[in-house]
Amino acid sequence: MDALRDVDPAQIGAHALLARLGAGGMGQVYLGRSPGGRLVAVKVIRDEITGHPEALARFRREAETVRAVRSAYTANLIDASLAGAPYWLATEYVAGPTLGHAVAERGGLPADTCRRLFAALAEGLASVHAYGVTHRDLKPQNVILGAQGPQLIDFGIARGVGETALTQDGQAPGTPGYTAPEVLLGEEAGAAADVFALGATLAYAATGRPPFGTGVAATVSYRAVHEPIDVTGVEPGLAALIEACVAKDPAARPGLREVIARCGVRDALIDDPVYLGLGALGEAVPVHEMRTQGPGLVQGYTPTQGVAVVPPGRGRTGVWLAAGIALAVVGAVAVWKLPLGGGAGQGGGSGRAGGQEQGRSPAAQTPGAPTPAGGAPGSGSASAPAPAGPPAYIRQTEPNLDDYNPIHRLCTRPEEERGILDFQTALPRSMDDPRLKSGKVEIGYRVQNALPDVPPYYVAVVVKPQHEVDENGRPTAASDNRQLGFVAKARDLYEGDEVQWKFVTYPDDFSMQLNGKTVKAPPLSQDPGGWTVVFRHVVSDTEHKSFVCDGFDSGPQKG
């Protein structure tokens, strides 16, 4: 959580404010204290969207949903102001990290822990469904790992039976990789869609990887509709249950009672030592008194812009996943619906989260991020000074083991640096893509959320064929390519309008420094098969680390 700023009010309604918990498209969330001393999470809708009928209706629906659903797995509504601007609501504060944050920090969870968590979340969804409500946006970032068990948060797009959808024309509710195929294809989101999201969420918990890989929203959603979920390395029984939950046909998915039964849980989740250890990843509640400076009561208060919050010392590294948020602040992610033929249209919202919400985890997407100079988040060590500018090219200092497997669509080596949460990438994946048939590969990247006044974060894109090349750019007999690969000039991720896509084209923008000679990138046809694409955080020509690894298949191998 972050300290209050001068523009923040000291009090909202009767609640004294203690800290900022997070921010997103709908507004700002604060940690507050009620007059009787109870901790609350106060969500304030941004002024600039109060005049938007759909956003306001969604906010009111969220308040009414939280008010109606009384469950051990949801935070109760404490107070709300919905009659006129400024609009806000307060819920119970639940201390603990999000599942997304915990897995990003720790990695995939053991199978037994996953089964206990699976059963608890299924029970939580069943309790919500009993009120005639479907969540419609279950994902790791919307699960708080509380001391008494998991809590479901963010009912901003939840829907009761018979209610009208609040999505924009041509868009589907939910988050890429967790939204059910039938919803992406235009059908209504029923209870079975929540089961799909539950299975995808547990796949992430078990593997530490986004369930349908990374990329722009349309690409991830296409895989959710047409391709199997990633459960590589998951214990077979657990993998089978996950696969059943994410069946493409909603009628084939098990009911929540069956999910609970198949988990075979015989002891409490809160007695699980791994689950207990995850609670330590949360943040301590501030104990300071209510501040007196800054704006006073909420009357006349203008909420801050919905930008990401960056803890001190972490720099500009994407949206911060605040631990202990009782009410998520990020609004519904817009996903372009896919036609029945499966064509991937333009995508918006958080893809990698990366996503790989990347690190093959958000668009790596492993949530969490390095400092701009490459330091580990929360390490307490001083960051290296930001570079004065990107180097003309980066040099190879050690064997490069990054390798993309086109069959499993995974890289065989973990990234060297934790990926930026809202970092997104775009590239073609298979030889059927016309962009690959043309012989040129356009590779895009961006950070989805803008943040103010932070140091540069230089990114170099590296493309590596299967085989090493000689000084003439011709393949050698080496069967295991350990060269750095062909590199495009590093660019500041935040230059210009940072949320806009930046693109490089292979082979036009790529070359390699080999034995003091510049080697131009060869055509794809020279080495058909799996090509590795790596995004590297560049501090200097010799200091650079991979934080996203992906790839594509250029066609059948020769011979």
Side-chain angles (χ1 to χ4, degrees):
M1 59 188 67
D2 206 19
L4 293 174
R5 302 176 185 175
D6 289 342
V7 296
D8 295 325
Q11 187 168 329
I12 292 180
H15 308 289
L17 299 188
L18 302 176
R20 286 181 163 217
L21 289 177
M26 286 289 284
Q28 179 72 46
V29 174
Y30 298 98
L31 175 66
R33 187 180 62 232
S34 73
R38 186 176 192 176
L39 291 176
V40 295
V42 184
K43 180 176 183 178
V44 183
I45 193 170
R46 290 191 288 131
D47 264 7
E48 56 266 39
I49 64 174
T50 57
H52 194 297
E54 178 184 315
L56 190 54
R58 179 171 294 149
F59 188 74
R60 284 174 168 157
R61 169 177 288 177
E62 179 173 6
E64 293 307 316
T65 300
V66 176
R67 188 194 308 275
V69 176
R70 310 288 292 184
S71 167
Y73 296 93
T74 60
N76 290 326
L77 185 71
I78 302 298
D79 196 3
S81 176
L82 305 174
Y87 301 93
W88 57 271
L89 59 84
T91 67
E92 294 176 302
Y93 172 77
V94 181
T98 66
L99 176 60
H101 177 70
V103 172
E105 290 291 322
R106 184 197 182 282
L109 306 179
D112 286 346
T113 302
C114 286
R115 284 192 177 87
R116 295 183 182 104
L117 183 60
F118 217 147
L121 289 175
E123 188 173 77
L125 278 178
S127 70
V128 171
H129 290 178
Y131 285 88
V133 173
T134 51
H135 190 286
R136 303 207 307 165
D137 198 21
L138 178 64
K139 57 185 176 182
Q141 290 76 19
N142 282 347
V143 175
I144 295 288
L145 304 181
Q148 300 304 313
Q151 296 273 307
L152 303 174
I153 62 172
D154 197 351
F155 286 84
I157 59 172
R159 189 169 162 205
V161 175
E163 288 184 331
T164 303
L166 293 178
T167 54
Q168 301 175 19
D169 291 341
Q171 297 176 346
T175 300
Y178 300 92
T179 303
E182 66 272 19
V183 179
L184 294 169
L185 296 174
E187 299 178 20
E188 293 298 329
D194 278 353
V195 174
F196 180 95
L198 175 63
T201 296
L202 262 296
Y204 173 78
T207 65
R209 303 184 297 269
F212 291 96
T214 65
V216 296
T219 301
V220 175
S221 296
Y222 177 89
R223 294 189 207 119
V225 173
H226 297 285
E227 298 179 6
I229 195 167
D230 175 14
V231 287
T232 303
V234 179
E235 186 270 326
L238 178 60
L241 179 54
I242 290 171
E243 289 170 332
C245 288
V246 298
K248 306 304 183 187
D249 180 2
R253 297 171 201 152
L256 292 170
R257 289 185 179 179
E258 181 182 342
V259 171
I260 295 170
R262 289 179 63 173
C263 287
V265 172
R266 291 181 173 82
D267 46 17
L269 174 63
I270 60 172
D271 292 332
D272 184 296
V274 174
Y275 183 86
L276 288 174
L278 297 178
L281 300 174
E283 297 196 64
V285 175
V287 296
H288 56 273
E289 294 300 317
M290 182 183 77
R291 52 159 217 178
T292 56
Q293 73 275 18
L297 300 181
V298 73
Q299 286 80 1
Y301 162 60
T302 301
T304 55
Q305 298 288 327
V307 297
V309 176
V310 183
R314 292 199 187 183
R316 183 179 201 164
T317 53
V319 172
W320 172 51
L321 288 181
I325 300 177
L327 206 48
V329 295
V330 181
V333 175
V335 183
W336 294 107
K337 288 183 181 178
L338 301 179
L340 287 172
Q346 181 183 357
S350 60
R352 293 208 174 243
Q356 274 154 358
E357 285 123 302
Q358 234 180 18
R360 245 195 195 253
S361 145
Q365 297 257 339
T366 302
T371 65
S379 64
S381 59
S383 299
Y393 56 86
I394 58 176
R395 308 171 187 269
Q396 180 162 357
T397 58
E398 58 186 16
N400 179 15
L401 304 180
D402 294 319
D403 184 46
Y404 175 74
N405 185 318
I407 298 176
H408 296 104
R409 296 190 174 178
L410 291 172
C411 287
T412 56
R413 185 175 75 141
E415 290 78 6
E416 299 169 304
E417 191 171 271
R418 181 166 295 125
I420 296 173
L421 176 62
D422 271 10
F423 184 81
Q424 298 179 314
T425 67
L427 69 158
R429 288 190 172 274
S430 71
M431 55 187 173
D432 297 327
D433 193 303
R435 294 172 293 179
L436 284 177
K437 291 182 178 179
S438 71
K440 294 183 182 292
V441 181
E442 188 177 62
I443 302 169
Y445 61 95
R446 71 166 183 169
V447 61
Q448 187 188 358
N449 291 280
L451 293 175
D453 304 326
V454 294
Y457 188 94
Y458 295 114
V459 175
V461 182
V462 178
V463 174
K464 190 174 85 166
Q466 296 181 96
H467 300 92
E468 294 186 357
V469 300
D470 59 23
E471 294 179 3
N472 297 312
R474 305 298 301 177
T476 67
S479 59
D480 183 14
N481 185 356
R482 297 197 172 193
Q483 290 176 333
L484 175 62
F486 296 92
V487 185
K489 180 175 172 59
R491 297 174 63 185
D492 179 11
L493 181 61
Y494 301 110
E495 71 180 1
D497 187 351
E498 65 223 60
V499 300
Q500 297 299 314
W501 289 94
K502 296 174 176 63
F503 291 96
V504 291
T505 301
Y506 184 91
D508 300 358
D509 300 325
F510 289 78
S511 63
M512 178 194 299
Q513 296 295 317
L514 186 62
N515 298 327
K517 181 179 179 181
T518 300
V519 181
K520 291 186 176 181
L524 298 177
S525 58
Q526 177 175 289
D527 199 355
W531 288 63
T532 304
V533 178
V534 177
F535 295 81
R536 302 187 77 89
H537 172 207
V538 177
V539 174
S540 69
D541 61 338
T542 57
E543 186 179 353
H544 43 84
K545 294 183 179 180
S546 65
F547 66 94
V548 170
C549 180
D550 212 323
F552 58 86
D553 186 356
S554 68
Q557 299 184 34
K558 296 178 181 179

